[in-house]
Amino acid sequence: MKKILIPTDFSENAWNAIVYSLQLFKDETCTFHLLNTYTPIIFQYDYTTVSSSQYKLVDTMKKVSETKLKEVLKRIQNQFNNPKHHFLSSSAFNTLPLEVNELSSDNTIDMIVMGTKGASGVKEVLFGSNTIHVLKNAKCPVLAIPSEFSFETPHEILFPSDYEINFQEKHIQPIVNIASIYHSRVNILNVRYESNLSEEQERNRKMLEPFFEHIALLFHDIKNQSVTGAIENFQLKTRVNLLVMINNKHSFFENLFFKSKINQIGFHLNIPLLVIPS
């Protein structure tokens, strides 16, 4: 039984992520854990000076959170009454990144699914700050769903890799799981400026093939392009339904999402992104 954690702030963007995950795993036996976190801005962490009004505010927010979670569960039951799906819900007085870390620290969560739209709604913002924190620190795969993206069967999976990782089953299994369910084709995209792969890169590349023994697999080599440009050009030729990256330190993934200023790299995510921790 898969265990899927879905944070929600009760926005339509969060609901869209719920709908995507329910459809993606419609034929799988799953437990979905809906999580809402709340932290009043005016709450002081010096407990010796906390006023009764602040305690009342926290209590009120907890009740609102629990009520809205019940409404979401009822909405799910009305629209997606799937006997294979089971649901848990929790409200937590905590920040989202910290609560997600606590829930996923014991390796009982198989995947986190969440929306990507930032609170500002500005188009130049690729991810909201909460999503960035979860992507960087989660111990399990994170599936980020763009705002208003409607579910598409993931027939074509794009997996950019610099082959700088000593690939293990834990890196590849999340991709294989989805590809096996939907008979997907996995496109491994390497972008480089050097003419040849190093011996280590070549060795890592060859390590990938056995993992995809029963999966349609294609390797693509792109030279003298930026990673973002190569991804976007590939999408122009092939209708990609899912983008997968491994969050490897010092890799182009880290450079792409965490070091560059988002509004300068010209990369706008319009398909789901599966991030696998290294």
Side-chain angles (χ1 to χ4, degrees):
M1 180 182 289
K2 286 185 171 64
K3 296 182 180 179
I4 313 296
L5 177 64
I6 310 179
T8 177
D9 59 2
F10 309 119
S11 65
E12 282 304 304
N13 182 52
W15 171 251
N16 189 58
I18 293 172
V19 170
Y20 184 95
S21 62
L22 295 178
Q23 292 177 304
L24 181 67
F25 297 113
K26 68 181 186 299
D27 296 321
E28 301 293 299
T29 303
C30 302
T31 293
F32 295 93
H33 184 163
L34 304 183
L35 168 68
N36 176 250
T37 59
Y38 54 92
T39 47
I41 296 174
I42 66 169
F43 192 86
Q44 302 297 317
Y45 286 93
D46 181 0
Y47 290 96
T48 60
T49 61
V50 173
S51 67
S52 60
S53 62
Q54 288 173 326
Y55 279 122
K56 289 180 182 178
L57 176 60
V58 173
D59 189 52
T60 299
M61 294 187 73
K62 179 177 177 61
K63 290 178 180 178
V64 169
S65 174
E66 291 174 343
T67 298
K68 288 189 174 182
L69 279 170
K70 289 178 181 177
E71 292 174 356
V72 172
L73 288 171
K74 187 175 181 179
R75 188 178 180 185
I76 290 172
Q77 290 170 356
N78 289 338
Q79 296 186 31
F80 303 92
N81 189 15
N82 189 335
K84 292 187 176 183
H85 292 172
H86 307 274
F87 297 91
L88 301 172
S89 65
S90 61
S91 301
F93 177 50
N94 203 350
T95 65
L96 179 61
L98 287 176
E99 188 65 22
V100 167
N101 282 346
E102 289 179 17
L103 290 173
S104 59
S105 61
D106 58 0
N107 297 319
T108 59
I109 302 296
D110 296 305
M111 185 177 291
I112 300 167
V113 183
M114 60 193 303
T116 62
K117 187 176 181 180
S120 66
V122 178
K123 289 184 178 180
E124 282 70 27
V125 177
L126 184 62
F127 294 142
S129 58
N130 277 334
T131 311
I132 287 290
H133 282 296
V134 173
L135 285 174
K136 287 183 71 173
N137 301 310
K139 302 297 189 294
C140 66
V142 180
L143 181 58
I145 312 300
S147 177
E148 301 179 1
F149 182 88
S150 297
F151 178 78
E152 295 178 0
T153 302
H155 291 305
E156 295 284 351
I157 298 175
L158 179 59
F159 175 27
S161 176
D162 52 15
Y163 304 139
E164 296 287 353
I165 298 172
N166 181 18
F167 294 107
Q168 301 173 36
E169 185 176 1
K170 66 180 180 180
H171 299 134
I172 307 303
Q173 197 59 47
I175 311 173
V176 171
N177 288 343
I178 294 175
S180 298
I181 294 171
Y182 291 100
H183 307 289
S184 312
R185 180 167 61 181
V186 177
N187 299 275
I188 300 181
L189 178 68
N190 177 253
V191 184
R192 65 181 185 272
Y193 288 96
E194 294 82 4
S195 56
N196 297 308
L197 297 173
S198 67
E199 289 185 8
E200 182 182 5
Q201 287 175 308
E202 190 64 51
R203 184 168 58 251
N204 290 336
R205 178 186 181 279
K206 289 180 180 178
M207 287 175 61
L208 282 170
E209 295 186 32
F211 290 116
F212 295 100
E213 183 179 2
H214 303 292
I215 305 294
L217 182 66
L218 287 177
F219 287 94
H220 306 270
D221 294 313
I222 305 296
K223 296 180 181 178
N224 302 321
Q225 287 188 34
S226 66
V227 175
T228 56
I231 292 172
E232 290 175 343
N233 288 336
F234 190 92
Q235 286 183 279
L236 292 175
K237 300 175 183 177
T238 304
R239 176 62 181 178
V240 176
N241 314 106
L242 178 65
L243 178 64
V244 181
M245 290 189 178
I246 294 178
N247 181 10
N248 185 41
K249 284 189 176 182
H250 312 303
S251 69
F252 64 78
F253 173 84
E254 185 178 75
N255 292 329
L256 177 61
F257 289 101
F258 305 136
K259 292 183 178 179
S260 302
K261 292 182 179 179
I262 296 303
N263 60 359
Q264 290 182 351
I265 62 176
F267 182 70
H268 299 287
L269 194 69
N270 57 7
I271 58 174
L273 169 66
L274 177 62
V275 178
I276 300 170
S278 61

